[in-house]
Amino acid sequence: MLAIENVDCYYGDFQALRDVTMEIREGQIVALLGPNAAGKSTTLTAISGVIKYPSGRITFEGYDLTHVKPEKIVAMGIAHVPEGRRLFNTLTVKENLELGAYPKHARARVSDTLEQVYALFPVLQERTNQQAGSLSGGEQQMCAIARGLMAQPRLLMIDEMSLGLSPILVKQMFDMIRRIAESGVTILLVEQQVHHTMEVADYTYIMEKGHIMLSGPTQEIAGHAHVKKAYLGM
């Protein structure tokens, strides 16, 4: 579905990504793990077209995304739930969700998709007319993910969804990830909750210093000596 081939990316003179190569197959939950400042969020923003990369190529279903604008990438079927939620705090939950239905095909089915996301996140239906800024941290994260789903994506990228959440809410969010994947949406997940992530991911990439250090089926990666020591505390 998605292929990243030898991508480099810079912030000024600082090289954030070095020869990054990844592949995401349809129907998978793929994890991108690594320490802070490893380049994980940069990878997602490069896929989204928010930042440009001077070398390498990213393709979605064979279509080259290199010079495609972010709004067109969303319309093609890739939605990005960024770190920090970035909701419109003074707008209601429903208004935030409706803004997520940006692509033309999504706008045509906004009522049906609202019903689907409310079924997945019942608390959002209870808060539908409440300002997003007044929601709890967990509710805001649900709203951010639901807004991404309103675009009716085929690939949903989620960046640090568990940040600042209680252990109970973290478990609930990972349960939601399973349900979203079961509905047919492919997922690329950047997370610090390594144990939880490896429980749901089919395939895992380990990124360090802007480069993919390890990759493979999650069960294999979980047994690697470096991963066990550096990420699983074993």
Side-chain angles (χ1 to χ4, degrees), residues 33-67:
L33 306 177
N36 289 333
K40 305 183 301 295
S41 295
T42 300
T43 301
L44 300 195
T45 52
I47 296 169
S48 296
V50 175
I51 58 173
K52 300 303 178 184
Y53 36 96
S55 61
R57 188 170 74 143
I58 300 176
T59 58
F60 181 63
E61 297 184 324
Y63 192 95
D64 192 339
L65 301 182
T66 304
H67 301 294

Side-chain angles (χ1 to χ4, degrees), residues 7-229:
V7 166
D8 295 332
C9 190
Y10 295 82
Y11 294 109
D13 294 331
F14 174 72
Q15 187 168 3
L17 299 181
R18 296 185 297 112
D19 196 32
V20 170
T21 296
M22 296 173 57
E23 182 180 275
I24 299 173
R25 298 183 179 181
E26 187 171 5
Q28 287 185 327
I29 299 176
V30 175
L32 178 58
L33 306 177
N36 289 333
K40 305 183 301 295
S41 295
T42 300
T43 301
L44 300 195
T45 52
I47 296 169
S48 296
V50 175
I51 58 173
K52 300 303 178 184
Y53 36 96
S55 61
R57 188 170 74 143
I58 300 176
T59 58
F60 181 63
E61 297 184 324
Y63 192 95
D64 192 339
L65 301 182
T66 304
H67 301 294
V68 180
K69 293 182 178 180
E71 60 269 26
K72 177 68 181 299
I73 291 174
V74 175
M76 291 171 66
I78 301 176
H80 183 179
V81 181
E83 180 181 355
R85 300 148 193 169
R86 301 189 189 180
L87 300 174
F88 296 95
N89 288 334
T90 59
L91 300 183
T92 66
V93 168
K94 185 178 180 182
E95 288 168 337
N96 270 274
L97 296 180
E98 289 174 336
L99 286 172
Y102 171 82
K104 184 177 180 180
H105 70 275
R107 291 198 301 272
R109 297 188 57 197
V110 64
S111 296
D112 291 340
T113 313
L114 267 175
E115 289 185 12
Q116 293 169 9
V117 298
Y118 282 154
L120 188 63
F121 302 105
V123 68
L124 296 183
Q125 187 167 22
E126 297 171 10
R127 307 280 192 271
T128 188
N129 293 316
Q130 187 172 324
Q131 285 188 339
S134 67
L135 300 176
S136 69
E139 291 166 349
Q140 288 186 9
Q141 189 60 71
M142 293 178 192
C143 189
I145 293 174
R147 183 177 61 183
L149 290 171
M150 288 296 296
Q152 297 186 342
R154 299 189 57 232
L155 172 62
L156 181 67
M157 306 190 299
I158 307 175
D159 194 353
E160 301 289 5
M161 70 174 181
S162 68
L163 197 64
L165 302 185
S166 69
I168 293 176
L169 279 174
V170 169
K171 184 179 183 304
Q172 290 177 359
M173 296 307 296
F174 277 95
D175 288 341
M176 292 297 176
I177 291 299
R178 286 194 181 95
R179 291 178 61 187
I180 293 168
E182 289 168 357
S183 74
V185 179
T186 303
I187 295 173
L188 175 56
L189 186 62
V190 166
E191 256 299 331
Q192 293 293 335
Q193 294 282 347
V194 176
H195 286 86
H196 284 296
T197 303
M198 286 191 161
E199 288 177 357
V200 302
D202 301 298
Y203 200 92
T204 296
Y205 290 90
I206 302 295
M207 176 175 275
E208 296 179 1
K209 297 180 180 179
H211 184 68
I212 300 296
M213 305 297 294
L214 292 167
S215 66
T218 300
Q219 289 185 340
E220 292 181 12
I221 292 297
H224 193 281
H226 174 66
V227 174
K228 291 168 72 173
K229 181 178 180 181

